[in-house]
Amino acid sequence: MVRASRSDFCMKATLPEPSSPRPESVGAGMLEIPQISQAVENVLAATPIIDVHTHLFAPSFGKLGLWGIDELLTYHYLEAEFFRSSHTKPEQYFSLSKRQQADAIWRALFIENTPISESTRGVVAVLNAFGLPTDRLDLTEARAFFQAQSLDSHIQRVFGMAGVSVVVMTNDPLDPEEASVWLSGACEHPQFRAVLRLDKILRYWAVNWQALAAQGYNVDAQASGKSVAEVQRFLFNWYKRMRPMYMAVSLPDTFVYPAKTLSNYLLAEAVLPACRELNLPLSLMIGVRLQANPALRLAGDAVGRADLSSLENLCRTFPKNRFLVSVLSRENQHELCVYARKFSNLMPFGCWWFMNNPSIVEEITRERIEMLGTSFIPQHSDARVLEQVIYKWSNTRRTLAPILSNAYRLLAEDGRGVTRNDIQRDITRLFRSNAESWMNLNGH
Ligand code: FIX
Ligand code: ZN
């Protein structure tokens, strides 16, 4: 059993230190109300973001890392929209090559229709960011551009354009292709940090316990005998390999805790104790209805409203565990805010998946600022393709600027003005230090 020494891991969640001491009087460096929105835009633009949840991979993971125009166009968000604007049936589409799929999506959503949806606008924004035409009938020029890029320098350029310093990956230790990279000693990359994703263990034990057994762990289908200790040994070994920022699992809208299920048993007896031992938060992404339409494959998942009293029970029952939580249903957002006011071991993060649309991001973020101040993590990109961070973060900055400016204007009208330092401290907390203090992110 690995014993965690304080120097190895980030300290317990602590409130971030103020970035600079406040001037003696409120007058010093105070912004006039008309100056606030420009100051907010400048600080947002200049503050590099920690992207706490993505499906991106460091270069050493090879083809697992998706980038370029064909991957951008065959993103499952666009596939879902494609099947609404084309007569092509899913089975026909999935029999095409990636290139043919991208051509079909470009024709249907960008030529035969106006790309005004959030996801199609995203592709236009990426092409435009690289100075590429956004209205060509075919993808020849775009493909030539991306083919000419070398990955390492392209990553730096993309992270610079997106204003992102670090992205947090989603790593599945039971995915054979990915596991083989880790087991062959994948080299650490300072800008791509790992996460131990546990869906296969916590949601699909029946079909995955053998994979643990194949890695040499003495577990069985009922998770009896030594299984709990062996799952912990598995987590500690993968902790040493990945140095993950947190452990994570996505949960259905039907998730109930407590309930006599093998999944809850492994959660309470193996995963949460390991998280405490390793001083890692557990991320819960709650509310997905997987494969509502299996014919659409990755694009076939949907959303359901969850009963968040299960989250209440977890936060109360495991006060020494920290829970990073994102909920998929719009109807669950307010409850999550209220629970965060009840439990300081609960950190709301991001506007996940179907929530990641400017109109809904605005609603959720305003509510969170009104109820939580700056004690939450506003957004994550969930990027599956490298260049997506460019538009997902420019959208977020564009949506958050007026919300923050409005909050400061209201504060000034209520009798207390703000300085640029205040704005910098708050934005640093929202997009960096909340994540740093909650995750194993020190020294990045
Ligand atoms: O579970 C998750 O991490 C989800 O974000 C993904 O499964 C989902 O497919 C996605 O890409 C959402 O943006
Ligand atoms: Zn995700």
Side-chain angles (χ1 to χ4, degrees), residues 49-54 164 166-168 379-383 389 393:
I49 284 171
I50 298 173
D51 192 344
V52 299
H53 173 64
T54 76
V164 162
V166 165
V167 298
V168 179
Q379 188 58 297
H380 63 274
S381 72
D382 229 320
V389 290
W393 286 112

Side-chain angles (χ1 to χ4, degrees), residues 267-279:
L267 177 64
E269 302 303 324
V271 174
L272 289 173
C275 284
R276 290 195 295 274
E277 179 84 25
L278 297 168
N279 193 23

Side-chain angles (χ1 to χ4, degrees), residues 66-310:
L66 308 180
W67 60 288
I69 189 63
D70 290 327
E71 297 296 347
L72 284 168
L73 285 168
T74 54
Y75 180 36
H76 68 81
Y77 288 34
L78 288 167
E79 290 176 334
E81 294 173 29
F82 170 72
F83 293 120
R84 297 191 53 72
S85 297
S86 154
H87 298 297
T88 308
K89 292 283 167 270
E91 49 282 7
Q92 289 169 296
Y93 169 83
F94 288 114
S95 68
L96 301 173
S97 69
K98 174 72 69 177
R99 192 184 173 94
Q100 291 167 324
Q101 291 173 344
D103 287 338
I105 290 183
W106 180 255
R107 195 169 40 252
L109 299 182
F110 295 79
I111 303 301
E112 293 166 359
N113 288 284
T114 311
I116 53 171
S117 73
E118 191 268 344
S119 308
T120 50
R121 270 195 302 106
V123 175
V124 169
V126 170
L127 292 172
N128 191 46
F130 289 112
L132 292 164
T134 62
D135 58 357
R136 287 284 182 279
L137 291 179
D138 66 40
L139 299 166
T140 313
E141 213 169 325
R143 285 193 176 119
F145 168 81
F146 285 103
Q147 261 143 26
Q149 306 310 309
S150 82
L151 185 54
D152 290 321
S153 57
H154 186 56
I155 287 172
Q156 295 316 316
R157 184 176 178 194
V158 167
F159 280 14
M161 293 159 87
V164 162
S165 61
V166 165
V167 298
V168 179
M169 304 185 284
T170 296
N171 307 99
D172 176 0
L174 293 179
D175 174 85
E177 199 182 343
E178 189 183 342
S180 65
V181 180
W182 287 106
L183 293 169
S184 63
C187 53
E188 285 211 12
H189 189 298
Q191 292 175 290
F192 290 82
R193 309 302 298 263
V195 153
L196 203 38
R197 182 79 179 230
L198 304 175
D199 293 40
K200 287 188 176 140
I201 290 177
L202 286 176
R203 298 189 61 181
Y204 309 109
W205 178 260
V207 285
N208 289 295
W209 69 270
Q210 279 113 332
L212 264 83
Q215 287 191 19
Y217 297 93
N218 180 2
V219 296
D220 62 33
Q222 296 73 38
S224 62
K226 288 209 173 90
S227 298
V228 164
E230 285 292 276
V231 168
Q232 287 207 336
R233 187 167 69 86
F234 172 88
L235 296 175
F236 289 131
N237 286 341
W238 277 96
Y239 176 87
K240 273 189 286 179
R241 252 178 230 118
M242 288 181 173
R243 295 288 173 192
M245 300 298 100
Y246 53 84
M247 296 191 194
V249 63
S250 81
L251 295 166
D253 57 328
T254 53
F255 171 67
V256 175
Y257 190 93
K260 276 203 164 318
T261 64
L262 201 154
S263 167
N264 283 346
Y265 171 66
L266 288 168
L267 177 64
E269 302 303 324
V271 174
L272 289 173
C275 284
R276 290 195 295 274
E277 179 84 25
L278 297 168
N279 193 23
L280 286 181
L282 176 65
S283 170
L284 304 174
M285 305 180 83
I286 308 173
V288 58
R289 293 180 69 80
L290 286 173
Q291 298 298 277
N293 181 354
L296 272 57
R297 302 190 185 180
L298 255 184
D301 299 337
V303 57
R305 178 178 179 174
D307 174 353
L308 289 190
S309 63
S310 295

